[in-house]
C-alpha cells in the first residue's frame, strides 16, 4: 500500500479541518448590513468571532444600531456606521473611522443593492417599456455600489 504524503496527515487531522477556515478576530466590513441578506450574513460572521463593521444608509440608523447591539449582547463585537455606497467621500470617511477603530480591514462583503419596480419588465410589457432612468439607478446602486466600496476599502 502506498503511503500518504506527509502533508495529508495534517489535512486529515480533525483540528486542521476545523480551523482551516478560521475567521475569528478578522475585521469584516459589510455594506448593506441592515438588509435581509447582509444582516443574516453578519450574524454568521459574529458567531465565528469576527469584529464587524456594519455599514448602512442613514434611514437604517436605528436598525443598524439595533443589529450591532444584538451582536454585542451575544458576546460579539460590532459597530454601525452610516454610509452611502455611491459617495466616495462618505466611504473614505468610513474607512478612516474603521482604521481608527481596528487598524485594518480583512474582509469586505458588498451586500448593498436593490431594485425598483419601474426597472422591471412585467409579463404584459416588452423591453421597450422599461424605465431607463430607474434602470440607471438600479445599475448604479448594484454595480457602482460594489465598485466604489471595493476601491476605497481594498
Amino acid at each position: 500500500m502506498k503511503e500518504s504524503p506527509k502533508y495529508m496527515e495534517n489535512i486529515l487531522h480533525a483540528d486542521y479541518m476545523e480551523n482551516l477556515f478560521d475567521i475569528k478576530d478578522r475585521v469584516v466590513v459589510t455594506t448593506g448590513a441592515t438588509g435581509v441578506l447582509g444582516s443574516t450574513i453578519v450574524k454568521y460572521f459574529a458567531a465565528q468571532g469576527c469584529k464587524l463593521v456594519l455599514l448602512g444608509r442613514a434611514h437604517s440608523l436605528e436598525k443598524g444600531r439595533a443589529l450591532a447591539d444584538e451582536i454585542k449582547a451575544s458576546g460579539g463585537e460590532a459597530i454601525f456606521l452610516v454610509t452611502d455606497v455611491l459617495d466616495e467621500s462618505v466611504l473614505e470617511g468610513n474607512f478612516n473611522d474603521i482604521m481608527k477603530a481596528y487598524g485594518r480591514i480583512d474582509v469586505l462583503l458588498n451586500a448593498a443593492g436593490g431594485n425598483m419596480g419601474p426597472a422591471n419588465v412585467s409579463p404584459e410589457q416588452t423591453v421597450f417599456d422599461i424605465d431607463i432612468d430607474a434602470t440607471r439607478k438600479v445599475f448604479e446602486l448594484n454595480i457602482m455600489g460594489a465598485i466604489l466600496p471595493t476601491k476605497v476599502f481594498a
Side-chain angles (χ1 to χ4, degrees), residues 9-115:
E9 290 176 22
N10 288 336
I11 290 174
L12 297 174
H13 192 267
D15 289 339
Y16 176 82
M17 292 304 289
E18 186 174 305
N19 296 315
L20 182 61
F21 298 105
D22 184 12
I23 55 175
K24 186 175 192 284
D25 294 323
R26 299 286 185 188
V27 177
V28 177
V29 176
T30 303
T31 68
T34 58
V36 174
L37 182 61
S39 64
T40 301
I41 294 170
V42 298
K43 288 176 186 177
Y44 172 80
F45 280 134
Q48 300 305 307
C50 295
K51 298 173 182 178
L52 301 171
V53 179
L54 314 174
L55 299 178
R57 295 187 295 182
H59 77 269
S60 300
L61 179 63
E62 291 306 313
K63 192 173 183 181
R65 286 181 177 163
L67 180 58
D69 289 345
E70 177 185 341
I71 289 166
K72 289 187 255 185
S74 298
E77 186 173 342
I79 60 172
F80 177 77
L81 300 174
V82 171
T83 200
D84 179 346
V85 295
L86 298 176
D87 188 329
E88 196 168 350
S89 65
V90 172
L91 291 165
E92 288 168 354
N94 295 144
F95 178 83
N96 292 334
D97 291 340
I98 295 164
M99 289 301 110
K100 285 177 193 164
Y102 295 110
R104 70 182 200 279
I105 296 171
D106 298 309
V107 177
L108 170 63
L109 172 64
N110 287 310
N115 201 356

Side-chain angles (χ1 to χ4, degrees), residues 117-132 135:
N120 297 311
V121 179
S122 72
E124 302 82 32
Q125 295 177 308
T126 70
V127 71
F128 302 109
D129 298 314
I130 199 165
D131 182 322
I132 297 300
T135 302

Side-chain angles (χ1 to χ4, degrees), residues 138-149:
V138 170
F139 178 86
E140 178 124 338
L141 176 59
N142 291 310
I143 303 301
M144 297 309 294
I147 291 172
L148 289 173

